[in-house]
Amino acid sequence: MTEHSFDLVILGGGPGGYVAAIRAAQLGWSVACIDENEQLGGTCLRVGCIPSKALLESSERYHEALHGLAQHGVKVESLDLDLAQMHRRKTQIVKTLAQGIDGLFKKGKVTRFLGRGRLDGPGSILVTSQDGELSLTAKDILIATGSRPAPLPGVEVDGDRIGTSTEALAYDRVPEHLVVIGAGYIGLELGSVWRRLGARVTVLEALDRILPGMDLEIAQAAHQIFKKQGIEFRLQTRVQQAVVQDDRCVVRCEDADPMEADRVLLAIGRVPNTDDLGLDRVGIQVDRRGEIEVAENFATKVPGIYAIGDCIQGPKLAHKASHEALACIERLAGGYGHVDYNTIPGVVYTHPELAAVGQTEEQLKEEGREYRRGVFPMMASGRAQTLGETDGKVKILADAQTDRVLGVHILGARAGDLIAEAAAAMSFGASSEDLAHLCHAHPTLAETLGEAALALHQRAIHIPSTPRVQA
Ligand code: FAD
Ligand code: AMP
């Protein structure tokens, strides 16, 4: 069997793995990256972040042309949906970005192996491909194998009528009735895409709220907006079964009548790709969720083997994986590398968007932490009015004594871009007073952050407030 030797072998070419490969190559190491897919970029690029955002953008433009342009005085005489073109655009974006990674690998002299990798002992990996097997040896190994959609017993995913996000990114026609199982961000984003394109969309959620993990007040406000958009929600509805019967999908839930649909999207979270990796061969443990346990420097219990991204603990987000990749490589190189998990933003790319960083109000209450809150409605922003994007609000939570910002939660247009300021502020340990003193360009949506910070001190300008008299 052919054997190749490297300083670092990376298992998985997603935003964790490929970013680690590029950084390690910059440091002059010999690096190999194994991925079983022809296109690099992982879940994020092939069937996650990028294709979903491409479809969100296209479907939003279609919806806007149908329902939003008239108020701007723009008359559209006739309008057609070309779904095939929407998919072609999405596919082209993915292709361009994947080729970009190929190019970066070539420039950085990262060796790419197309195949399935498996740990074969300490410092040793076996790659199985169409051409057979080959063996790699490495000083260090980085596991970045990511995650896949979580299954639900009773829901028979057939990759067609009953599918996961991967199928929902590629439906060849607009479903008449799409049932989404799970009101997390993936279910809501893809539910929004198909709703905008004309499908009836019903979201079934086991809990009594949508978007668990996000600030409740913000999630509830979003829920009301999504309902107005025509998405139907059934909360406290636990799905037990989904099957195809007589060419219809039948979804059965606890304490509810069966429901019929022509497509079902299972979106109840993601599970790590850690089985079938040969972890037990080298003595690496996983926790009850199947996630690899790592120390602060991403080291597993086995010397020379590290893990990052969706296959370890923490939020399953692309930027978290990439951030861990950089921190892990810097640490391996003997430098400084750190991930502050409290300042990792999370974004839901619905319309309007939701974005958050830091702690929610519920978490602060549970901790018994004394805090103050400042809220500013998008309605009162000049920029939001000109954009016609007046739904939503900004909420800033700060420590009652020190005024340090503990959490920022935004519901509104471009919330995903606005949250960057909050994440930067929190990373530098800013107080809400610091945010209030920033000079935001006018008119921008970012002004709402300044106003929310002022509101926390009862000094907001564009909403009524009762200021405390201050020097
Ligand atoms: P992955 O991207 O999953 O990459 C792992 C790679 O390793 C994959 O290519 C996999 O096939 C390969 N692999 C696994 N095992 C092996 C093996 N044994 N041998 C060879 N190759 C292997 N996150 C965001 O931050 N923002 C978003 O907007 C967002 N939107 C999303 C939308 C959808 C529909 C989905 C499904 C996910 C979304 N995510 C988003 C999550 C994001 O995609 C993941 O958090 C991210 O891809 C994790 O990166 P990773 O490198 O850890 O793993
Ligand atoms: P996330 O983990 O953010 O992707 O969200 C997944 C959502 O699916 C959560 O809100 C879960 O409560 C929900 N969920 C999990 N199991 C079920 C089920 N059997 N029926 C309906 N919703 C579910």
Side-chain angles (χ1 to χ4, degrees):
M1 198 190 315
T2 333
E3 213 175 283
H4 305 260
S5 197
F6 295 91
D7 291 328
L8 177 69
V9 170
I10 301 169
L11 207 45
Y18 88 73
V19 168
I22 291 170
R23 180 66 192 124
Q26 286 172 352
L27 292 165
W29 305 354
S30 62
V31 185
C33 182
I34 309 162
D35 198 290
E36 60 198 335
N37 300 283
E38 189 82 43
Q39 279 180 326
L40 288 166
T43 304
C44 167
L45 180 50
R46 283 181 298 104
V47 286
C49 324
I50 299 298
S52 59
K53 267 80 254 180
L55 285 187
L56 278 156
E57 189 61 34
S58 298
S59 59
E60 183 53 31
R61 290 193 187 206
Y62 172 72
H63 191 262
E64 173 84 357
L66 261 185
H67 304 288
L69 290 184
Q71 61 163 323
H72 289 273
V74 180
K75 281 192 184 166
V76 180
E77 291 291 329
S78 83
L79 195 70
D80 266 336
L81 172 63
D82 184 351
L83 184 58
Q85 168 56 22
M86 233 176 237
H87 283 312
R88 274 196 296 276
R89 174 181 178 272
K90 171 201 71 182
T91 305
Q92 185 55 46
I93 293 167
V94 172
K95 192 172 156 201
T96 304
L97 292 171
Q99 284 171 344
I101 306 174
D102 285 338
L104 292 168
F105 269 25
K106 279 203 188 93
K107 279 250 155 61
K109 298 195 172 42
V110 174
T111 309
R112 207 254 139 123
F113 289 97
L114 175 61
R116 202 167 164 78
R118 211 167 183 281
L119 297 170
D120 199 29
S124 171
I125 286 189
L126 198 67
V127 185
T128 310
S129 70
Q130 279 179 339
D131 307 327
E133 286 190 340
L134 52 92
S135 175
L136 310 184
T137 56
K139 271 209 299 255
D140 291 304
I141 293 172
L142 178 60
I143 304 173
T145 48
S147 64
R148 61 182 183 280
L152 181 63
V155 174
E156 293 173 11
V157 171
D158 61 6
D160 179 21
R161 307 294 293 274
I162 304 183
T164 64
S165 48
T166 303
E167 287 76 35
L169 286 166
Y171 296 154
D172 57 1
R173 60 201 149 83
V174 179
E176 214 173 283
H177 184 201
L178 169 67
V179 165
V180 179
I181 309 175
Y185 80 92
I186 292 177
L188 292 176
E189 286 183 6
L190 291 173
S192 295
V193 165
W194 295 107
R195 174 70 201 133
R196 290 169 194 169
L197 297 182
R200 177 183 165 206
V201 174
T202 309
V203 179
L204 309 177
E205 168 57 52
L207 301 176
D208 61 357
R209 57 164 295 180
I210 68 166
L211 293 169
M214 296 214 85
D215 188 90
L216 183 61
E217 176 184 351
I218 296 289
Q220 281 175 340
H223 186 182
Q224 294 313 316
I225 295 169
F226 299 152
K227 279 204 286 196
K228 275 196 211 137
Q229 292 170 354
I231 299 178
E232 298 163 36
F233 288 90
R234 303 214 183 152
L235 302 184
Q236 293 178 292
T237 301
R238 186 171 289 279
V239 174
Q240 288 180 316
Q241 195 190 44
V243 287
V244 179
Q245 276 172 3
D246 303 327
D247 205 33
R248 296 289 290 162
C249 305
V250 180
V251 184
R252 297 194 172 85
C253 308
E254 233 171 55
D255 307 323
D257 291 335
M259 191 178 298
E260 283 201 5
D262 55 339
R263 295 267 191 195
V264 173
L265 160 58
L266 178 64
I268 60 159
R270 297 185 58 85
V271 290
N273 290 325
T274 51
D275 30 15
D276 201 27
L277 278 185
L279 295 181
D280 41 353
R281 255 187 108 96
V282 291
I284 292 179
Q285 311 270 326
V286 293
D287 65 16
R288 65 183 170 80
R289 289 185 296 263
E291 293 166 342
I292 298 170
E293 292 175 12
V294 293
E296 204 213 335
N297 63 349
F298 309 100
T300 65
K301 291 214 172 75
V302 178
I305 304 186
Y306 301 80
I308 54 164
D310 277 13
C311 66
I312 68 168
Q313 296 96 332
K316 300 216 175 316
L317 294 170
H319 45 286
K320 178 253 191 193
S322 302
H323 213 53
E324 287 178 341
L326 294 178
C328 177
I329 300 300
E330 299 306 336
R331 295 280 281 251
L332 260 173
Y336 174 79
H338 172 70
V339 177
D340 177 1
Y341 288 93
N342 198 40
T343 58
I344 294 179
V347 181
V348 185
Y349 295 84
T350 45
H351 191 101
E353 295 177 350
L354 292 96
V357 61
Q359 290 175 284
T360 64
E361 237 181 305
E362 293 70 55
Q363 285 169 335
L364 294 177
K365 280 183 187 142
E366 203 174 302
E367 263 181 28
R369 183 106 175 224
E370 280 185 47
Y371 66 92
R372 292 210 280 160
R373 42 174 267 148
V375 178
F376 188 78
M378 288 293 172
M379 186 72 87
S381 148
R383 185 64 178 142
Q385 290 284 348
T386 61
L387 290 170
E389 299 280 3
T390 50
D391 279 337
K393 55 180 139 183
V394 175
K395 172 157 96 171
I396 299 182
L397 305 168
D399 186 276
Q401 271 82 46
T402 64
D403 192 36
R404 192 179 173 131
V405 178
L406 301 174
V408 178
H409 306 274
I410 309 174
L411 170 66
R414 305 284 164 202
D417 295 317
L418 292 181
I419 204 67
E421 174 173 319
M426 285 182 64
S427 297
F428 293 120
S431 64
S432 75
E433 186 76 31
D434 291 328
L435 273 178
H437 283 298
L438 286 182
C439 182
H440 295 102
H442 176 75
T444 58
L445 293 172
E447 288 170 297
T448 60
L449 278 160
E451 284 274 26
L454 285 169
L456 195 141
H457 301 277
Q458 287 84 43
R459 301 193 329 246
I461 300 302
H462 292 92
I463 50 171
S465 40
T466 348
R468 290 171 296 160
V469 180
Q470 279 181 357

